[in-house]
Amino acid sequence: MYLLSHNPRLVYLHGFASSPKSRKAQFFADHFRAVGVPLEIPDLANGEFHKLTIGSQLKLLENITGSEPAILIGSSLGGYLAALHAVRNPRITKLILLAPAFDFYHLWTQALGPERLAGWERTGTLTVFHYGAGRELPLSYEFLADASRFEAYPPVKQPILIFHGTQDQVVPIEKSIAFAGLFTQTKLVHLASGHELTDVLDSIWEGAKSFLAENIRGCRKR
């Protein structure tokens, strides 16, 4: 049903407080380039990290993907965004998710705890380390308030391949197990790794190529 006569657009969605220059983003860019497939890697904060919300990122994705068929690869928060966007855009044909941050709002509230949450709401700003910028940056409380409005496990209908580390201390693999249990078109691959998955990228690449073989000419076996 999703077989295409030409390559769909391929878009990589980086994680929270990351950037298009992240190790995983550049790994995929290099490997897809080697098989003749371009990879788009937008800055999901659009240069305004302090104003970042789930809604603002979804709006950016809508503008990027438009009405063309597209495949999304998302890491952590980018994986959650990919699932949210796929629910809202039937032109998304497949998803590859790396340690997707399902149940995102509850992950954050549990990680921060009542005191930090109250302080963030009172002051309106939380300082977080931005890995792309290499320094701490302010983030508006609207980021969390907006996140509470979105479904924890988006009801995606498209085929999905998830890679998740069994030793993930940031987004427990149980989140992906719960998602896969809800949506049977999901294939979940358990990896002996943590949240970053940078030590298992070669295995992820091989799995991704197989998953995309019927959609992207450069990924077909020769």
Side-chain angles (χ1 to χ4, degrees):
M1 180 169 59
Y2 293 100
L3 184 63
L4 304 173
S5 59
H6 60 282
N7 287 352
R9 296 176 66 183
L10 193 61
V11 183
Y12 181 90
L13 311 180
H14 62 73
F16 173 75
S18 187
S19 79
K21 296 182 179 179
S22 75
R23 180 175 173 183
K24 287 194 289 288
Q26 292 305 307
F27 173 90
F28 279 104
D30 290 344
H31 281 66
F32 279 114
R33 187 182 303 116
V35 295
V37 178
L39 178 66
E40 300 175 53
I41 313 175
D43 173 11
L44 295 175
N46 203 24
E48 295 184 311
F49 179 73
H50 63 292
K51 296 181 179 179
L52 185 74
T53 63
I54 299 294
S56 69
Q57 292 173 94
L58 288 175
K59 185 175 181 179
L60 178 66
L61 279 179
E62 183 180 347
N63 293 334
I64 290 171
T65 57
S67 60
E68 297 180 41
I71 292 170
L72 303 180
I73 303 173
S75 173
S76 195
L77 175 55
Y80 178 54
L81 289 169
L84 287 171
H85 184 56
V87 170
R88 292 155 175 78
N89 185 348
R91 299 294 286 174
I92 302 303
T93 61
K94 281 186 175 180
L95 303 176
I96 297 176
L97 311 180
L98 315 178
F102 294 126
D103 201 17
F104 183 76
Y105 175 75
H106 290 104
L107 281 173
W108 266 68
T109 55
Q110 291 169 8
L112 289 172
E115 290 188 12
R116 291 190 70 194
L117 284 172
W120 190 6
E121 184 175 13
R122 183 177 64 254
T123 63
T125 301
L126 178 72
T127 300
V128 300
F129 186 81
H130 192 288
Y131 296 94
R135 57 191 173 91
E136 292 190 337
L137 293 176
L139 180 65
S140 169
Y141 182 76
E142 180 58 24
F143 175 77
L144 188 66
D146 179 71
S148 69
R149 304 181 183 118
F150 293 92
E151 56 268 40
Y153 298 98
V156 180
K157 296 180 180 179
Q158 296 92 327
I160 306 169
L161 175 62
I162 299 177
F163 297 96
H164 211 128
T166 57
Q167 302 157 23
D168 194 329
Q169 300 297 311
V170 178
V171 180
I173 193 173
E174 285 74 20
K175 299 296 183 182
S176 285
I177 292 173
F179 181 88
L182 292 171
F183 308 110
T184 57
Q185 81 283 16
T186 302
K187 178 181 178 182
L188 172 59
V189 179
H190 296 60
L191 296 170
S193 185
H195 186 64
E196 293 301 317
L197 297 173
T198 50
D199 57 336
V200 288
L201 286 176
D202 288 338
S203 295
I204 290 173
W205 171 245
E206 291 303 318
K209 278 199 304 178
S210 178
F211 183 65
L212 299 178
E214 68 176 15
N215 298 89
I216 296 179
R217 286 192 297 267
C219 291
R220 293 180 185 139
K221 293 182 180 179
R222 299 179 181 177

